[in-house]
Amino acid sequence: FDTETYPIRPGLIAPKLVCLQHANDVDGKAAQDGKIHIALRKDALEPLETALDDPEVVLEAHHGPYDQVVTCAAWPHLTPKWFRALGACRGRDTELREQLIAIRNGTMQDHHPKGYWSLAGVAKRRLGIEMAKDDETWRLRYALLDDVPIELWPKDAVEYATNDIGGLRGVSRHQIAEFVPEDEWLQVAAGFCLQLAATWGFRVDPERWDWVAVSLMTRKAEAERLLDEAGLFRDGSVKQDVVRAAVERACARAGKPVPRTAPSSRFPNGQVKADTETCEALAEFDPVLTQLGERNNANKMMTTYLEGMAFGKNYACTSRPNTLVASGRTSWRGASPVRANPWWPKLPEDYRY
């Protein structure tokens, strides 16, 4: 199964459902009714709820947690049904399966280009087919077809929706022929829980945020004033020779050898290390390194955390979970800015998702 929705936007990562695409397979082959169906939101609840209630049905998607939570947002009473179905080992996900196979093969930690784990990326590698996913397709425009009868949809819109199921089928069969991870169902269940947490998000206390912001800016300004007096800056940039001298002084006071970089043709004896890790380790032994650490810490807190949390003062602040990384653990990434979508229809002011 798959869904098409309104676009994601800041604070809303389970947008309004437009349609549900689904098809039936038995033992890796299209069932007697193996046709790909597209059901508008008003018609999609019945086939989905029937599948969730049937203990013999396995539900498979690509990046399924998104689709699962979108359906929970559309019909909240499905949330416990999803918990029961996924907890009964009935969830499968071709994206997570691809990642589990990569972990098994030792390639998960390799550098992968953008879109590597997407359905289009996996389908191209495994099946040799191109699945159009750029902004010129219907990918971001299904809000324009909300409640429009399928028979009135443009041909390209129908093909895009059905091709996702066709690609999913082909990828799934190709993966299963290679390897079937035993704990895939567990990863799918975990992904659902993580997506629920991400979708719910959190709110930020605006007064506390403002207090922390002022505190960090004050710390940074004071540290930069003292560093400027110590001659650390030149045209707003840090003078590395001053930092290296501070590292040497700190090492002398601490009774430690001076850390150096690897030798090179230009620096046969290497250079005094002036990286962040070295400066932090020696900060207590020299005031320049102490103030440099204060400045860097305040700057990191503001750019890494505070800026990202500012959105949460007025709206739900959300981030995105990575259900799997190379170690098998989970990571999170901040919500990146969502580009303006020229196809976004204007909604009534009182409309609620």
Side-chain angles (χ1 to χ4, degrees):
F1 75 98
D2 185 37
T3 64
E4 302 301 340
T5 68
Y6 277 60
I8 292 172
R9 59 181 175 181
L12 181 67
I13 59 175
K16 185 181 178 184
L17 176 72
V18 174
C19 66
L20 172 81
Q21 307 96 275
H22 60 97
N24 298 322
D25 280 15
V26 176
D27 297 329
K29 298 179 181 179
Q32 186 174 2
D33 178 19
K35 178 184 176 183
I36 298 173
H37 301 271
I38 302 177
L40 295 178
R41 183 177 59 254
K42 63 183 180 62
D43 302 316
L45 176 59
E46 190 275 330
L48 178 59
E49 192 165 20
T50 298
L52 283 168
D53 289 341
D54 188 337
E56 300 300 318
V57 172
V58 171
L59 298 115
E60 185 170 34
H62 189 91
H63 191 54
Y66 173 78
D67 306 289
Q68 294 155 5
V69 175
V70 161
T71 64
C72 291
W75 304 291
H77 75 280
L78 294 185
T79 304
K81 292 178 181 284
W82 273 115
F83 270 106
R84 284 194 290 270
L86 299 180
C89 314
R90 292 170 49 208
R92 300 292 184 272
D93 193 301
T94 48
E95 180 183 49
L96 288 172
R97 186 183 301 142
E98 188 76 2
Q99 293 173 343
L100 287 167
I101 291 173
I103 291 174
R104 174 178 180 261
N105 295 339
T107 59
M108 180 72 167
Q109 68 275 16
D110 295 349
H111 175 73
H112 300 298
K114 183 179 179 180
Y116 185 85
W117 304 112
S118 69
L119 181 58
V122 180
K124 185 174 182 178
R125 290 195 304 277
R126 288 189 171 272
L127 308 177
I129 62 174
E130 295 281 353
M131 297 183 67
K133 290 289 183 181
D134 57 54
D135 291 353
E136 298 303 314
T137 67
W138 276 88
R139 185 172 69 92
L140 299 175
R141 292 191 278 170
Y142 279 93
L144 300 176
L145 301 176
D146 192 15
D147 286 333
V148 176
I150 305 294
E151 57 269 20
L152 298 181
W153 282 19
K155 179 181 177 183
D156 289 349
V158 175
E159 288 182 351
Y160 182 95
T162 55
N163 284 347
D164 275 354
I165 298 296
L168 172 64
R169 265 180 163 162
V171 163
S172 178
R173 292 169 186 174
H174 196 280
Q175 290 173 329
I176 290 172
E178 178 183 350
F179 180 67
V180 179
E182 291 185 6
D183 68 336
E184 180 185 342
W185 72 270
L186 184 59
Q187 303 296 343
V188 175
F192 174 64
C193 297
L194 292 168
Q195 186 74 10
L196 282 174
T199 303
W200 185 258
F202 61 90
R203 293 294 299 273
V204 176
D205 183 327
E207 292 184 5
R208 182 68 62 86
W209 189 98
D210 291 341
W211 183 88
V212 173
V214 170
S215 175
L216 289 172
M217 286 188 288
T218 302
R219 280 176 53 194
K220 181 183 177 183
E222 176 63 11
E224 289 184 344
R225 183 186 68 80
L226 295 173
L227 290 170
D228 191 50
E229 291 178 358
L232 188 76
F233 295 114
R234 179 190 292 122
D235 299 328
S237 300
V238 174
K239 295 170 66 175
Q240 291 300 312
D241 56 335
V242 176
V243 180
R244 293 189 184 98
V247 169
E248 289 187 286
R249 290 194 304 269
C251 287
R253 291 167 183 160
K256 298 180 180 181
V258 177
R260 292 184 174 275
T261 62
S264 65
S265 57
R266 186 178 177 187
F267 301 100
N269 297 320
Q271 285 186 294
V272 176
K273 279 190 174 182
D275 58 293
T276 302
E277 184 178 353
T278 300
C279 293
E280 288 180 351
L282 296 167
E284 63 180 296
F285 300 105
D286 190 275
V288 169
L289 297 182
T290 300
Q291 295 305 321
L292 184 60
E294 278 286 300
R295 180 235 189 195
N296 291 344
N297 179 263
N299 196 54
K300 179 178 180 180
M301 291 296 292
M302 287 192 294
T303 57
T304 303
Y305 300 106
L306 217 59
E307 288 180 7
M309 294 173 68
F311 186 81
K313 294 197 291 181
N314 299 307
Y315 306 96
C317 195
T318 59
S319 60
R320 307 287 183 84
N322 292 316
T323 305
L324 275 175
V325 294
S327 64
R329 294 179 292 180
T330 296
S331 69
W332 291 79
R333 57 187 182 272
S336 58
V338 178
R339 293 174 296 164
N341 183 347
W343 307 106
W344 191 286
K346 184 173 178 59
L347 296 174
E349 291 184 3
D350 61 349
Y351 185 87
R352 297 192 57 153
Y353 288 97

